[in-house]
Amino acid sequence: MMSFQRSFFSLLCLLAPLSVFAGAPVAIPADYFQQTLFKDDFSETELGKQWTLYKSSSLIKDGVLQGVELKDGGHAAVHQLKTEPYSDVELTVDLKFAGSPSTNLTFNQHKFKGSHAGHLCRVVVSPTKIILRDGKTGVFNNEICKKRQSKEKLTPEEQAILKKTQAVFPVKLEKNKWYTVTVRIKGDLMQAFIDGRLIGSLQSPGIAHATKDKIGLVTPKESIHYDNVIVKVP
């Protein structure tokens, strides 16, 4: 009985953010994405050739990618997936909080110079909130990023841009429990789903960047567990 009550309570907590989302665009349908561009269930002992690691001590154990930041590396562990260029995309990944406070699911373009390190857009997932960001025109815009790094004060216009290019949605997720997180991008609209339920949406111009070609699973500290990564395009 207690198990049923906990499950019911968890469902209510997951549904709670939907009221914040009232009046927002309807969910981008899953069947819009017909072609599987990439998939990995981490059944091999090493990452495949499409993956590269940055500042990472991550490893595959028991069929799971365990994200771990490199000690004294000065940066979160990044697991970068290089793909053919795409614009609209669906990323699905199972993940579990096993110590890290959050993970970033990022979409970038290799060697793009129009934003810091080619960052375009991302979804930040933590146990308490989901943040959707247009980094290309917002936080990773070259001028804004340079000012933030030097701790220079942003203009009121730049502060307004930062507010417009992100959206925050509260959730309540448990640690050491698996969740399926899905990100869908269609044009300038990006949406985040947990276990198939729409959590939040952001519409912003940088999301529509037409030649994304890298996906990142970004882990600060230790550890996020990842499994069953699937990338689909229309």
Side-chain angles (χ1 to χ4, degrees), residues 33-101:
F33 304 96
Q34 296 288 328
Q35 178 186 350
T36 298
L37 195 62
F38 177 85
K39 64 191 307 184
D40 195 345
D41 63 1
F42 304 112
S43 57
E44 302 295 328
T45 56
E46 302 288 338
L47 286 174
K49 61 182 181 180
Q50 285 185 261
W51 291 102
T52 58
L53 298 180
Y54 176 74
K55 302 290 187 179
S56 171
S57 294
S58 303
L59 72 159
I60 295 176
K61 185 176 180 180
D62 300 326
V64 171
L65 173 61
Q66 299 184 8
V68 181
E69 184 178 312
L70 182 68
K71 185 178 179 181
D72 300 324
H75 195 284
V78 182
H79 317 87
Q80 298 182 113
L81 172 64
K82 185 78 164 62
T83 69
E84 298 173 13
Y86 59 86
S87 180
D88 296 348
V89 67
E90 177 188 74
L91 167 66
T92 299
V93 57
D94 295 340
L95 61 83
K96 178 172 68 172
F97 296 97
S100 291

Side-chain angles (χ1 to χ4, degrees), residues 8-230:
F8 183 67
F9 179 74
S10 297
L11 179 60
L12 288 178
C13 289
L14 192 57
L15 286 173
L18 296 183
S19 61
V20 179
F21 196 51
V26 297
I28 301 168
D31 60 8
Y32 174 69
F33 304 96
Q34 296 288 328
Q35 178 186 350
T36 298
L37 195 62
F38 177 85
K39 64 191 307 184
D40 195 345
D41 63 1
F42 304 112
S43 57
E44 302 295 328
T45 56
E46 302 288 338
L47 286 174
K49 61 182 181 180
Q50 285 185 261
W51 291 102
T52 58
L53 298 180
Y54 176 74
K55 302 290 187 179
S56 171
S57 294
S58 303
L59 72 159
I60 295 176
K61 185 176 180 180
D62 300 326
V64 171
L65 173 61
Q66 299 184 8
V68 181
E69 184 178 312
L70 182 68
K71 185 178 179 181
D72 300 324
H75 195 284
V78 182
H79 317 87
Q80 298 182 113
L81 172 64
K82 185 78 164 62
T83 69
E84 298 173 13
Y86 59 86
S87 180
D88 296 348
V89 67
E90 177 188 74
L91 167 66
T92 299
V93 57
D94 295 340
L95 61 83
K96 178 172 68 172
F97 296 97
S100 291
S102 64
T103 180
N104 287 240
L105 309 178
T106 67
F107 302 85
N108 306 327
Q109 182 183 345
H110 183 57
K111 295 184 177 179
F112 175 63
K113 302 302 183 184
S115 62
H116 174 71
H119 293 311
L120 301 172
C121 55
R122 66 182 54 208
V123 173
V124 184
V125 185
S126 79
T128 59
K129 60 188 174 184
I130 306 295
I131 306 173
L132 289 81
R133 286 194 177 123
D134 167 5
K136 178 183 175 181
T137 61
V139 69
F140 291 113
N141 167 275
N142 285 329
E143 290 303 313
I144 291 177
C145 187
K146 189 184 302 181
K147 283 188 175 183
R148 284 166 57 87
Q149 289 178 335
S150 65
K151 302 190 184 304
E152 183 180 346
K153 187 176 180 180
L154 299 180
T155 66
E157 292 78 11
E158 289 167 334
Q159 293 174 15
I161 288 171
L162 288 184
K163 289 182 180 179
K164 278 177 24 179
T165 53
Q166 80 167 27
V168 182
F169 300 88
V171 293
K172 189 169 183 179
L173 306 179
E174 298 177 30
K175 296 178 181 179
N176 295 308
K177 178 179 177 180
W178 285 101
Y179 294 93
T180 298
V181 179
T182 301
V183 180
R184 292 180 189 150
I185 295 174
K186 183 179 181 183
D188 64 356
L189 178 64
M190 180 167 64
Q191 296 181 330
F193 303 75
I194 296 179
D195 292 341
R197 296 185 180 276
L198 177 61
I199 300 299
S201 173
L202 175 66
Q203 200 156 11
S204 189
I207 295 169
H209 189 87
T211 51
K212 309 172 186 77
D213 61 7
K214 294 182 83 171
I215 287 172
L217 311 178
V218 182
T219 305
K221 309 302 180 184
E222 181 181 353
S223 151
I224 300 286
H225 292 186
Y226 304 97
D227 203 359
N228 300 316
V229 174
I230 303 173

